[in-house]
Amino acid sequence: MESIQAGYLTNFEAQINSVDEDSVVLDRTLFYPIGGGQNWDTGTLSWDGGELVVSEVRGRGDVQHFVGEDHGLAPGDAVSGKIDWNRRHAHMRMHTAQHLVSGIVYEMYDGARTVGNQIHSDRSRIDFNPIRFDEEMIDAIFQKANEIVETDLEVTDCIMTRDEINAIMPPDRTNMDLLPISVKQLRVVKIGDNVDLCPCAGTHVKGLGEIGEMKYLGKKNKGKGTTRVNYTLSGCES
Ligand SMILES: [Zn+2]
């Protein structure tokens, strides 16, 4: 995804590049493939007289759109792609919420790191290490997160070098220290004026207000100092 604004586009025209038994690769796509903890987009591919549901999207570079067997599509065919906006928008809201909460936990609790995340449309989770949360800490995190959401700070993105990122945020907060040294330039997602800054390829909302109310769903001790926190957002509950 090239920009925050591009995350709001849902319709596109494309040609089939190659086909497999149950999937197709397009010459261009707006479908987000699973990656970076964020789940894939769903939607449809349609053409004169036909339509297929895209149920799963995987891979970088050659992005595979899974449309089921006997799809009948061939290289060169023109199709119109359409993203399921409700699901995409839920992912955008959930993902920006994750960045916000990860930053808050790092700041409030002695640099506790985000060591994993799963962004889904109905509920999401973040793994923190090293930390054990009590109810008071959890309340403080979600209260702070909801307060910041209400300020409706702008969310932007840009391309930055490794050194530029590390000059603004500690490498263990952005997980820059885990990236291969060969990666020199990264797409960075920024909340407000560096309230949070994180290298990320996911889709995000353009303002924090779009996140709505964040709701804590529970936590789980995953061992070795890792605690998983589950949350959802207003309107996303399954
Ligand atoms: Zn991210």
Side-chain angles (χ1 to χ4, degrees):
M1 195 52 61
E2 286 155 11
S3 74
I4 301 285
Q5 291 298 336
Y8 288 84
L9 302 174
T10 56
N11 292 275
F12 65 99
E13 304 298 322
Q15 273 195 3
I16 306 288
N17 260 0
S18 63
V19 300
D20 224 321
E21 208 169 80
D22 59 350
S23 71
V24 300
V25 174
L26 308 174
D27 65 343
R28 61 188 293 265
T29 188
L30 292 180
F31 281 90
Y32 183 85
I34 188 169
Q38 183 178 327
N39 212 353
W40 59 74
D41 285 327
T42 58
T44 55
L45 295 179
S46 60
W47 59 94
D48 249 356
E51 180 174 279
L52 287 168
V53 171
V54 177
S55 59
E56 193 176 328
V57 185
R58 290 185 173 276
R60 304 274 153 170
D62 283 348
V63 177
Q64 284 180 288
H65 303 70
F66 289 86
V67 291
E69 288 178 24
D70 303 321
H71 51 72
L73 291 168
D77 287 355
V79 291
S80 301
K82 188 174 196 283
I83 311 285
D84 177 338
W85 170 247
N86 286 339
R87 180 177 162 102
R88 157 66 71 84
H89 194 222
H91 289 162
M92 290 160 63
R93 294 170 62 211
M94 287 280 197
H95 201 149
T96 307
Q98 180 259 306
H99 283 211
L100 182 63
V101 171
S102 289
I104 288 170
V105 169
Y106 182 92
E107 292 297 329
M108 284 178 89
Y109 299 111
D110 301 323
R113 299 181 66 143
T114 292
V115 294
N117 67 305
Q118 287 290 317
I119 308 297
H120 295 276
S121 57
D122 56 346
R123 57 189 293 157
S124 298
R125 65 190 203 211
I126 314 174
D127 292 346
F128 296 101
N129 182 282
I131 192 140
R132 296 285 295 268
F133 297 108
D134 60 26
E135 293 302 320
E136 216 170 294
M137 292 160 80
I138 292 285
D139 284 351
I141 294 162
F142 279 82
Q143 197 187 325
K144 178 94 177 159
N146 281 314
E147 272 173 28
I148 299 177
V149 163
E150 280 181 24
T151 65
D152 196 21
L153 286 173
E154 194 182 7
V155 181
T156 56
D157 69 339
C158 58
I159 304 293
M160 289 174 78
T161 68
R162 220 184 164 86
D163 290 344
E164 285 168 341
I165 298 165
N166 289 341
I168 297 171
M169 285 283 164
D172 61 339
R173 173 168 165 167
T174 57
N175 284 334
M176 283 297 292
D177 55 340
L178 303 181
L179 278 174
I181 209 88
S182 58
V183 180
K184 303 285 186 216
Q185 297 221 321
L186 297 120
R187 186 257 192 158
V188 169
V189 174
K190 202 194 285 195
I191 297 175
D193 186 13
N194 295 331
V195 169
D196 186 69
L197 179 151
C198 191
C200 180
T203 58
H204 289 267
V205 291
K206 59 188 187 310
L208 288 189
E210 264 181 64
I211 291 174
E213 191 192 349
M214 293 191 63
K215 300 175 180 183
Y216 169 65
L217 290 176
K219 60 183 163 63
K220 198 172 183 183
N221 180 5
K222 302 298 289 176
K224 294 184 177 160
T226 297
T227 306
R228 174 166 296 170
V229 173
N230 295 289
Y231 65 93
T232 190
L233 306 176
S234 51
C236 288
E237 304 96 328
S238 50

